[in-house]
Structure formats: C-alpha cells, structure tokens
Amino acid sequence: MAQILGGIFTSHVPGIGGAIAKGVQQDPYWSPFFDGFKPVHNWLKTAKPDVAVVFYNDHGLNFFLDKMPTFAVGAADTYRNADEGWGLPVQNSFKGDTALSWHIIEGLVADEFDITTCQSMLVDHAVVVPCQLAWPGGVDWPVRIIPIAINTVQFPLPSPKRCLALGRAVGKALRSWQGDERIVVFGTGGLSHQLDGERAGFINQKYDRFCMDKLGPDVDALTTISALDVIEEAGSQGVEIVNWIAARGALGDTVHELSRNYHIPISNTAAATMLFATENEALEQAA
Ligand code: DHB
Ligand code: FE
C-alpha cells in the first residue's frame, strides 16, 4: 500500500535559487531561512520518499494568461525546468510517475473535479526551488514528481475551500493506490507578499502566524474566507497559501508538526518553512 509520509511546506522565492547558485546560503541575510531546512533534511534521511506530489502555482512558464487552468495535474514521463525570466540556472529534469498520475486524475474526476491533464509540462521555480531546498547538492533528484498546479495568478481564483477539497481528494486517491510508493507532499509559495501595485512590499505577520498555527490542527479555519479576502490579508501573491492548504488536505486528518521557521523578508516575502509527519509516519519513526 502506498504511504503518505508527511508534508514539506515552503516559500519558493526565486532569489532562494539565486542564493543557492551563488553558494551564499550561510550569509547573514540567507542563513535564518536556509537553517530552517535542517529538520527537513534529517527527516528525509529516514523517511526516504520515492514520490513527491507538489502543489504549486505556475508563474507564466507552462501556462500563460491566454490558457489558464484552475487545477492542472501532471501526467508526464519527464518534467523539464526552464527559466521564465529570473535568470536562474536551469535544473535537471524530474522523472514523472505516469501510472500514479493517472490514478490521481481518475480519482479526481470521479470526485467531480474538472481538472486539466498535462502530458507535457514545464516546471518553474515554484517546483524547483523547494526541491533544491529539500535535496541540496545539485545531483539527480531522488524522487519522481507529480506536479499539481493551482491558478493563483489570473482571476477568477479558486476558493481556499475548493483547494482544500482538491487536496483531500488527492490524498484519498493516493491512499487507494495499490503500489508501495513512499510519498511526500509539498505545498509551495507564500507566505504574505505582494510584488506589485500600491501595496508592493506588503507583509502581514499576524495573518501568517494564524495560517501557520491553524495549518496542522484546523486547516478548515483557513477556508472560511474567499481568495479575494486572502489577498486583502496576505497580498496579491500571498494567495499562494492555497497551495499549502491543498497540500495539507492531502495529508489526512491528523498530522504532527515537526518543525517551523518564519523569516522576514526574503526578497519581498515573509518566508516560511513547515514540516509535518502524518500519523502513520510519526509512529514509524518512533518505533
Ligand atoms: C518572489 C516571491 C514569489 O513567490 C515569486 O513567485 C516570485 C518572487 C519574491 O519575493 O521576490
Ligand atoms: Fe510565487
């Protein structure tokens, strides 16, 4: 039986990729953020996942404003990275897992999610930077990935409630998969940030802390407001928190928070990292 081990939640600021390229992770500006990944590295050593399901948003690389799916699920053999304009070094391609992708897709459609399926899909910094953080060193990726893109870019945006339902349906599909994959779930983006307009630079620590406090024990508390209200609270790009909400949904009812880090600012963003184990995995690690 496939096993969902836990979830890694992190900001995906492109500047993090730039810092990795320059090797300045231990500079005073960056170390408070990168140090937050030590518990993640330790956990991954034991958890040893072989598949990563990554909830993220594309930023104009694979989907542009002319074609914007609300929810898109990767079903490709390979996912190539490319630079959508940040000047970041292009990272190695990821292997996909088409059989598990189609199982998820079948589960989602059976559960009445009208998704877009992508048999070819480029992945941007929102997939690559979190994976570089989790598996530093620039070698081949130790996991196959299943990218699940949520539109956080072009109105109308899906509600936090709908994103949580999507994540829960993905979790249900994963738990019904007969393979013996060890699965880690990623939620990338956030926390509060706004890159443009009159409120450029906007950060809301109070809302970020509310999100981090509720994500584990009571994720439904993050879904009582609309996507537009999340933008009011967290900034126009802070709405990327819906990727975290969906990923949390996939982990099941009970999770154990293993670590959390919150650091302001990385670029224009309140950067955060959280790690959760699912109930099964917590028992396994304790045994
Ligand atoms: C930044 C943050 C993001 O989430 C992103 O996709 C691009 C840039 C930033 O803070 O610079
Ligand atoms: Fe982003």
Side-chain angles (χ1 to χ4, degrees):
M1 274 268 289
Q3 212 189 330
I4 306 175
L5 306 166
I8 299 169
F9 298 75
T10 184
S11 307
H12 59 219
V13 176
I16 299 166
I20 294 171
K22 289 192 212 105
V24 295
Q25 294 93 321
Q26 286 312 310
D27 281 12
Y29 179 81
W30 289 105
S31 62
F33 176 74
F34 280 96
D35 287 350
F37 266 81
K38 285 178 184 163
V40 175
H41 298 154
N42 283 335
W43 181 78
L44 282 170
K45 265 187 222 153
T46 335
K48 293 197 176 63
D50 36 38
V51 172
V53 175
V54 185
F55 290 88
Y56 74 110
N57 61 289
D58 182 86
H59 300 73
L61 178 70
N62 191 70
F63 305 114
F64 202 62
L65 302 181
D66 58 334
K67 298 183 193 74
M68 183 56 69
T70 300
F71 299 132
V73 181
D77 269 339
T78 312
Y79 299 94
R80 214 161 45 73
N81 173 225
D83 176 28
E84 78 274 22
W86 297 98
L88 298 175
V90 172
Q91 299 299 310
N92 287 346
S93 295
F94 292 88
K95 287 200 173 66
D97 186 326
T98 50
L100 184 51
S101 281
W102 284 110
H103 176 75
I104 293 170
I105 290 163
E106 279 174 18
L108 288 175
V109 173
D111 282 342
E112 301 180 345
F113 285 90
D114 305 320
I115 49 172
T116 299
T117 57
C118 300
Q119 297 190 61
S120 76
M121 196 176 192
L122 294 171
V123 290
D124 74 3
H125 66 272
V127 171
V128 164
V129 165
C131 289
Q132 287 178 279
L133 285 163
W135 296 286
V139 287
D140 278 345
W141 304 112
V143 287
R144 307 186 292 283
I145 66 161
I146 298 176
I148 302 182
I150 296 179
N151 169 29
T152 67
V153 176
Q154 169 152 284
F155 287 90
L157 306 182
S159 68
K161 187 165 166 238
R162 187 68 176 154
C163 295
L164 179 57
L166 175 86
R168 285 184 170 144
V170 169
K172 179 179 153 198
L174 291 173
R175 279 185 288 274
S176 72
W177 176 241
Q178 290 304 308
D180 56 4
E181 282 76 5
R182 295 173 64 78
I183 300 165
V184 62
V185 177
F186 279 74
T188 93
L191 292 181
S192 59
H193 63 300
Q194 170 143 347
L195 301 179
D196 46 20
E198 281 175 20
R199 288 203 309 172
F202 175 79
I203 278 174
N204 182 348
Q205 291 198 47
K206 192 161 169 243
Y207 182 70
D208 289 342
R209 292 197 189 280
F210 166 76
C211 289
M212 290 187 289
D213 288 345
K214 293 293 181 188
L215 190 69
D218 182 17
V219 62
D220 289 276
L222 304 186
T223 67
T224 58
I225 61 175
S226 68
L228 205 56
D229 288 336
V230 174
I231 287 173
E232 200 65 40
E233 293 285 356
S236 52
Q237 281 76 33
V239 75
E240 291 174 347
I241 186 72
V242 295
N243 304 329
W244 287 42
I245 292 171
R248 170 64 189 86
L251 296 182
D253 290 342
T254 309
V255 290
H256 300 269
E257 183 178 330
L258 300 182
S259 74
R260 142 182 346 197
N261 186 41
Y262 182 68
H263 178 61
I264 297 172
I266 290 293
S267 180
N268 294 294
T269 297
T273 303
M274 292 186 82
L275 172 65
F276 293 93
T278 54
E279 209 157 15
N280 287 344
E281 166 62 5
L283 292 174
E284 196 181 296
Q285 293 227 352

